[in-house]
Amino acid sequence: KQELIYKFNFDDSKSSLKKGTISGICECLEGVLVVYTDGTVCCISGEQQRILWYNDVVAKNSTQEDEYQISCDDEGNVWIYGDAHAYFYEKATGQWHRSISELARAWGCNVSVNDDLVTGVACDKAGNMWLSTDRHGLFLLNASERNIKAHLMADVERGLSSNNLNTVYVDDTDLLWVGTSHAGVNYYAP
């Protein structure tokens, strides 16, 4: 039996959703996060049927609409990424990092990835975040160790079929599925 539990409308004073286009949704510690195409993030509690909070850090730093996607790990860290930007909210410090390079500098990592190259983010059961990139393969971000590193590329033995990655997904057995541009899908055990 199908049942609509609650509608969070733009005109309903109880939900008070801001008007706009929502481009990404993910589950988080507090409820569900939605990201708008202008970069605004909203946290919703379906259980309480109310908006918990809004955050406009990404929106304030974005000059154009984008099809932002959002991902969250079990520690409360959040990735928001689009065609030209990648942002990371570090729950432990309460800080937003406005680029992967800024995050790497804050963590003392010697790695550089252009934000416009991030095409996908997925979380595994250990809390690692996997970043697929447009030309540089797969990166691993470990927030608990404050480390980012290039993990797997096409030009290494038993590497990916391409460095031009479009998406990454972690399945329920903690294996990675990596979708490439014109080189198929890679199934990988990290």
Side-chain angles (χ1 to χ4, degrees):
K1 170 184 157 188
Q2 295 178 344
E3 177 185 1
L4 178 65
I5 298 171
Y6 189 79
K7 286 183 185 179
F8 291 91
N9 294 322
F10 299 126
D11 56 0
D12 180 2
S13 61
K14 185 176 179 182
S15 70
S16 66
L17 266 180
K18 116 179 188 144
K19 289 187 179 188
T21 302
I22 295 168
S23 59
I25 300 174
C26 76
E27 192 172 1
C28 70
L29 297 174
E30 299 173 79
V32 170
L33 295 177
V34 298
V35 63
Y36 289 79
T37 54
D38 73 353
T40 300
V41 178
C42 174
C43 185
I44 302 172
S45 170
E47 193 174 282
Q48 298 173 25
Q49 297 181 345
R50 69 183 188 95
I51 306 297
L52 299 178
W53 50 262
Y54 279 97
N55 185 293
D56 64 354
V57 168
V58 174
K60 284 181 178 177
N61 289 284
S62 180
T63 58
Q64 64 189 31
E65 298 264 314
D66 202 343
E67 290 295 319
Y68 288 108
Q69 296 301 310
I70 191 165
S71 184
C72 187
D73 68 16
D74 291 340
E75 311 267 319
N77 300 306
V78 178
W79 268 103
I80 298 173
Y81 57 97
D83 288 339
H85 303 284
Y87 299 86
F88 181 72
Y89 174 72
E90 188 177 6
K91 178 80 171 178
T93 64
Q95 285 188 301
W96 279 96
H97 298 279
R98 294 184 179 100
S99 70
I100 297 168
S101 298
E102 179 184 310
L103 177 63
R105 281 191 305 275
W107 288 0
C109 301
N110 188 19
V111 67
S112 178
V113 181
N114 292 338
D115 290 333
D116 60 344
L117 298 179
V118 176
T119 57
V121 177
C123 244
D124 65 21
K125 292 177 183 174
N128 296 310
M129 291 186 131
W130 295 91
L131 285 66
S132 58
T133 65
D134 185 26
R135 293 187 291 273
H136 297 288
L138 196 61
F139 282 76
L140 172 64
L141 181 141
N142 184 315
S144 62
E145 294 180 11
R146 297 176 61 95
N147 190 22
I148 304 170
K149 64 180 178 180
H151 186 74
L152 193 61
M153 300 182 76
D155 56 354
V156 297
E157 187 178 334
R158 301 179 55 88
L160 297 168
S161 58
S162 170
N163 284 330
N164 299 328
L165 310 179
N166 292 335
T167 189
V168 61
Y169 173 75
V170 178
D171 68 20
D172 60 356
T173 63
D174 236 15
L175 297 175
L176 297 175
W177 293 82
V178 183
T180 68
S181 181
H182 305 290
V185 174
N186 294 256
Y187 185 51
Y188 176 65

